[in-house]
Amino acid sequence: MEIINTIIGKNGLVFAFLCVGIIMLFSSWVSKYITNKKIPGVAIAIIIGLSLAFLGDEKGISNIPLFAGMALLGGPMLRDFAVVATAMSADLSKIRQAGLAGLVSLLIGVFISFTMGVLIGLSMGYTNIESLTTIGAGACTYIVGPVTGTAIGASSDVIAISVATGVVKTIFATIGTPLIAKKIKLDNPHAAIVFGGLIGTTSGVVAGLAATDEELVPYGALTSTFYTGIGCLLCPSLFYVILRFLDI
């Protein structure tokens, strides 16, 4: 046992990849044989990952020495690398075809998500502008929420709520995308670009499109990545000022 711990300790990242591979394999099996592919394997894997996060302390399962490699595998460096690498395979000619529609979808998507988040915050009893702005930002993505909350001085519990709001959105996007793809004609790069701009959460869009049609993933990933940047720009500045002006 000591030898195994030593080997894993020296190859934490490799072991983390192995663990994720096993989770994906199990999730695919459950999706295929238990849910009859009604729930994508990637969605099941996300749920398992979120459940495992509760096993640790502040850093989730990576607080357990055996799974320390998860901190690097799930960290921002590899996450951003994966997003950029995915978007790099997009066809520029088809991106240009989206043009104005892609830009408009980004602005509408951020605005609607933020507004829904603010309404969620109001329904939970929050009335101060900092809290409402942070929860609204979290409804954009679970990355925009903490960035906004930190910038405007929101409390840690509100920032946590913003993250949870973004995670719920990600799960819904992951599970719901393949279920509604045919109904909304999500079957071409142009539609994927607009869809990514409207939904925004990169992990949810990528996972949902991967379960729908892998060829659409780069296009949805491209606009959903811009969505996060626009959210980080608008939420702690323009949207925060607007809420203060409205004095909700």
Side-chain angles (χ1 to χ4, degrees):
M1 189 63 183
E2 185 177 347
I3 296 176
I4 295 176
N5 288 334
T6 302
I7 294 175
I8 293 176
K10 293 181 178 180
N11 301 276
L13 182 59
V14 176
F15 183 67
F17 273 108
L18 175 62
C19 291
V20 172
I22 292 174
I23 291 173
M24 289 300 301
L25 184 64
F26 174 75
S27 300
S28 299
W29 182 87
V30 172
S31 174
K32 182 177 181 180
Y33 294 104
I34 296 183
T35 70
N36 197 26
K37 293 187 177 181
K38 291 183 178 180
I39 300 178
V42 287
I44 297 173
I46 287 176
I47 294 173
I48 293 174
L50 292 173
S51 301
L52 291 175
F54 288 102
L55 297 179
D57 198 0
E58 293 183 358
K59 295 183 179 180
I61 195 174
S62 63
N63 279 126
I64 302 174
L66 189 64
F67 300 99
M70 288 289 189
L72 179 57
L73 180 60
M77 180 181 70
L78 286 180
R79 179 202 64 206
D80 294 343
F81 173 79
V83 170
V84 172
T86 301
M88 285 296 290
S89 61
D91 187 340
L92 289 177
S93 63
K94 293 180 179 178
I95 292 173
R96 293 192 190 98
Q97 292 174 11
L100 183 60
L103 177 61
V104 172
S105 69
L106 279 169
L107 297 176
I108 292 176
V110 172
F111 177 75
I112 292 178
S113 294
F114 181 83
T115 302
M116 292 298 294
V118 170
L119 294 176
I120 291 172
L122 288 171
S123 68
M124 296 174 66
Y126 288 97
T127 56
N128 67 84
I129 305 303
E130 288 74 19
S131 297
L132 292 176
T133 303
T134 301
I135 296 173
C140 293
T141 78
Y142 56 78
I143 296 174
V144 178
V147 170
T148 300
T150 302
I152 62 178
S155 61
S156 58
D157 60 325
V158 170
I159 292 177
I161 292 173
S162 75
V163 173
T165 304
V167 168
V168 170
K169 178 183 177 181
T170 295
I171 294 174
F172 272 101
T174 301
I175 298 175
T177 299
L179 299 179
I180 66 171
K182 290 184 179 179
K183 295 180 180 179
I184 63 175
K185 297 183 179 181
L186 183 57
D187 56 5
N188 59 83
H190 185 279
I193 289 173
V194 174
F195 180 77
L198 289 173
I199 303 302
T201 172
T202 304
S203 52
V205 168
V206 169
L209 289 178
T212 303
D213 184 352
E214 292 183 358
E215 293 184 0
L216 301 179
V217 171
Y219 304 99
L222 186 71
T223 45
S224 62
T225 302
F226 279 114
Y227 181 106
T228 299
I230 292 176
C232 289
L233 177 65
L234 294 180
C235 289
S237 56
L238 179 61
F239 290 167
Y240 176 59
V241 171
I242 290 175
L243 287 183
R244 291 191 67 87
F245 177 77
L246 294 175
D247 193 21
I248 297 179

